[in-house]
Amino acid sequence: MTHIQPRPRKFWPPVDPVTHTSVEEERQHRKQRLAATFRLFGRYGYDKGLAGHVTARDPEHHDRFWINPLGQHFSTIRVSDLHLVDIDGNVLHGDRAINQAGFTIHSAIHRSRPDVVAAAHTHSTYGKAWSSLGRPLAPLSQDAAAFYEDQVIFDPYTGVVLTEGEGRRLVEALGDRKLAILKNHGLLTLGPSVEAAAWWFISAEDAAHTQLLAEAAGTPQPIDHETALLTRAQVGTQQGGAYNFHPLWEWIVAAEPDLLD
């Protein structure tokens, strides 16, 4: 009779935390995940013309961040396409224009929120639809509970965000939350890593889609307050965001390895 030695159970974490030995390694890590985020967003149909931008703070020069060039479709962006801009709007690396509204939003965030490494905003369909209702996402599911009492409605819509004052108003409204629902505009997520900000955007878009479907079908029954808070502490952490991004990273790199160029 064959004796089978039981293997130790391992439930969490699914991947080992990433450590870097130099600022160059950390910069490359952020840029690779940023390029992967654009490819994923392209796959999910979040690209809309000139709209949409995701940024990653440079790990060495904290007043600079990496951003996508204006007018390049998300599905074609590579690491080498990313542009570096400083907090005053000077493009330090890259030869194309960048989105002015994107700069206004992200410069205000990176200037005022040192805890934020990355921020993501696109004109995704369900995010736009939900934003027109002027309501926070309800904890209708375990996934949606990640945003329970960790979101804000940015209201009113006053046009394209082009002025420094509008950027400051957004930051003041955000506080320390990770999701902003920009009234009549769309979703904005922030995170202490590119992975977390990207996953939270994908998850918030899905939560908006889910709630629109649920409310169209009937009267949803949300998770109660105490359980929603508990669930947020379980699934809404920065580690949870990074871990959830990991299988998407592995998939998109395997499917589109040129993004690393």
Side-chain angles (χ1 to χ4, degrees):
M1 183 176 186
T2 302
H3 177 70
I4 300 176
Q5 181 68 33
R7 301 180 68 179
R9 296 180 179 180
K10 186 175 183 180
F11 298 113
W12 190 264
V15 292
D16 294 327
V18 178
T19 57
H20 303 283
T21 59
S22 68
V23 70
E24 289 80 12
E25 281 188 8
E26 173 66 16
R27 178 179 294 117
Q28 188 69 359
H29 175 96
R30 293 185 185 184
K31 291 173 67 178
Q32 288 178 345
R33 272 61 184 178
L34 186 57
T37 295
F38 287 116
R39 293 298 182 97
L40 289 165
F41 282 13
R43 289 257 185 165
Y44 295 149
Y46 298 166
D47 194 286
K48 296 289 186 296
L50 302 181
H53 24 82
V54 188
T55 58
R57 190 191 301 272
D58 188 82
E60 181 179 12
H61 306 286
H62 295 175
D63 62 341
R64 303 175 185 178
F65 53 89
W66 296 88
I67 190 171
N68 51 306
L70 182 68
Q72 183 171 354
H73 197 279
F74 289 173
S75 64
T76 69
I77 291 179
R78 302 166 297 171
V79 169
S80 58
D81 293 317
L82 299 173
H83 282 38
L84 180 66
V85 61
D86 67 19
I87 215 76
D88 297 316
N90 301 302
V91 177
L92 306 176
H93 176 83
D95 57 5
R96 296 177 63 173
I98 61 171
N99 187 301
Q100 183 180 350
F103 168 76
T104 302
I105 291 170
H106 291 270
S107 61
I109 291 169
H110 288 297
R111 189 192 303 270
S112 304
R113 290 279 302 271
D115 60 308
V116 169
V117 166
H121 167 67
T122 81
H123 291 185
S124 55
T125 300
Y126 299 108
K128 286 188 296 185
W130 182 258
S131 74
S132 70
L133 302 178
R135 292 191 277 130
L137 292 166
L140 300 189
S141 68
Q142 175 175 295
D143 296 329
F147 305 104
Y148 185 63
E149 296 192 349
D150 200 10
Q151 57 185 302
V152 66
I153 306 297
F154 183 59
D155 184 26
Y157 175 74
T158 59
V160 179
V161 181
L162 298 177
T163 67
E164 188 175 329
E166 273 296 277
R168 286 196 304 268
R169 189 169 74 89
L170 172 59
V171 168
E172 290 170 0
L174 262 169
D176 61 357
R177 300 171 184 87
K178 65 172 174 273
L179 169 64
I181 299 171
L182 312 179
K183 182 81 175 296
N184 305 109
H185 190 169
L187 306 176
L188 169 71
T189 57
L190 299 81
S193 67
V194 176
E195 294 94 323
W199 171 254
W200 286 334
F201 190 93
I202 293 168
S203 189
E205 172 74 359
D206 180 72
H209 187 183
T210 299
Q211 187 158 353
L212 288 166
L213 287 173
E215 293 188 355
T219 304
Q221 299 178 22
I223 299 169
D224 67 85
H225 173 70
E226 293 299 328
T227 306
L229 286 177
L230 171 64
T231 307
R232 188 190 73 192
Q234 294 170 326
V235 303
T237 66
Q238 65 181 68
Q239 293 89 350
Y243 291 146
N244 275 292
F245 182 84
H246 187 73
L248 298 178
W249 158 260
E250 290 190 327
W251 166 60
I252 200 64
V253 169
E256 303 180 23
D258 65 298
L259 73 88
L260 300 176
D261 294 344

